[in-house]
Amino acid sequence: MECSTSYGIFLCLAASSNITTSGKDKSISTPEDYILVNMDGSLVLPSNLKPSAETLIHTSIYQRIPNCQAVFHVHMIPNNLISELYADQGKVTFMNHEIIKAFYIWKEGASITIPIVENYSSISKLAEEISKVIKPEVPGVLIRNHGIYAWGDSDFTAKRHLEAFEFLFEYQINMYFLKKFK
């Protein structure tokens, strides 16, 4: 697999990956901001640059999810709040939202449950824990007080999944406060 990443985006194309380098501004990217790594996160070609610190998480998702071609990773306030609110349950479930169709779930009373894992400082431990809980039918995982990884069979699909999750997170937070202060 060849893959590339930018702004926390990792696109898979064959047995190695182009990934953004560590310490670079992800809002500005040039060809020099990418390096080629294989699925264990090692450099394919010599370079003075370092791969992104979370490369192993991306590659573990590719190895675990068939047809995964893109992984997006972002840090947003809503996904951090949701991950903290539901951390003790290890997951959060959303039901009866029209936007669940973004995950190809087209049935009455649809629901989706996204797993939540602890935010381990060891990237290899974090990648291992993520691998244990992810499933092809749920294209995302929350890292407690860290962010979300969302994926798909293309960059467009991964982005759609990420946006749908973020919508659900914001909705849930707003509903939580509306009920609390009603």
Side-chain angles (χ1 to χ4, degrees):
M1 289 187 164
E2 288 186 19
C3 311
S4 65
T5 181
S6 176
Y7 316 103
I9 302 166
F10 196 83
L11 302 174
C12 226
L13 311 168
S16 58
S17 310
N18 275 328
I19 188 164
T20 52
T21 57
S22 184
K24 294 281 190 161
D25 180 351
K26 304 297 192 276
S27 67
I28 305 167
S29 61
T30 67
E32 293 78 32
D33 295 326
Y34 298 89
I35 53 178
L36 195 62
V37 297
N38 61 25
M39 283 297 125
D40 70 5
S42 302
L43 291 173
V44 171
L45 302 171
S47 175
N48 293 329
L49 302 172
K50 269 178 37 178
S52 170
E54 296 171 343
T55 299
L56 288 179
I57 296 169
H58 290 270
T59 59
S60 70
I61 293 168
Y62 282 107
Q63 292 169 13
R64 180 87 169 83
I65 305 297
N67 302 320
C68 180
Q69 295 296 308
V71 177
F72 286 23
H73 173 56
V74 298
H75 311 98
M76 306 268 301
I77 292 171
N79 63 50
N80 275 251
L81 290 172
I82 289 292
S83 71
E84 184 61 25
L85 280 170
Y86 294 93
D88 292 340
Q89 298 171 26
K91 63 187 177 189
V92 58
T93 300
F94 301 95
M95 297 177 63
N96 299 317
H97 290 275
E98 181 71 16
I99 203 157
I100 291 174
K101 291 177 182 175
F103 306 110
Y104 302 116
I105 302 170
W106 293 78
K107 60 185 176 183
E108 203 66 41
S111 69
I112 189 162
T113 301
I114 183 169
I116 302 168
V117 298
E118 286 297 322
N119 185 16
Y120 297 99
S121 60
S122 163
I123 296 299
S124 59
K125 171 79 172 160
L126 185 54
E128 181 183 324
E129 293 303 310
I130 289 170
S131 288
K132 290 178 186 176
V133 300
I134 61 176
K135 301 182 282 189
E137 62 272 16
V138 179
V141 62
L142 281 165
I143 313 305
R144 186 176 187 177
N145 287 323
H146 176 122
I148 184 173
Y149 286 85
W151 53 85
D153 59 8
S154 69
D155 56 345
F156 176 81
T157 304
K159 183 176 182 272
R160 185 182 70 236
H161 292 159
L162 178 62
E163 289 171 348
F165 279 127
E166 290 298 325
F167 173 92
L168 292 168
F169 301 155
E170 283 193 49
Y171 175 91
Q172 192 79 0
I173 291 163
N174 286 321
M175 187 56 72
Y176 173 83
F177 284 112
L178 283 172
K179 287 180 178 178
K180 192 156 188 88
F181 297 111
K182 189 175 181 183

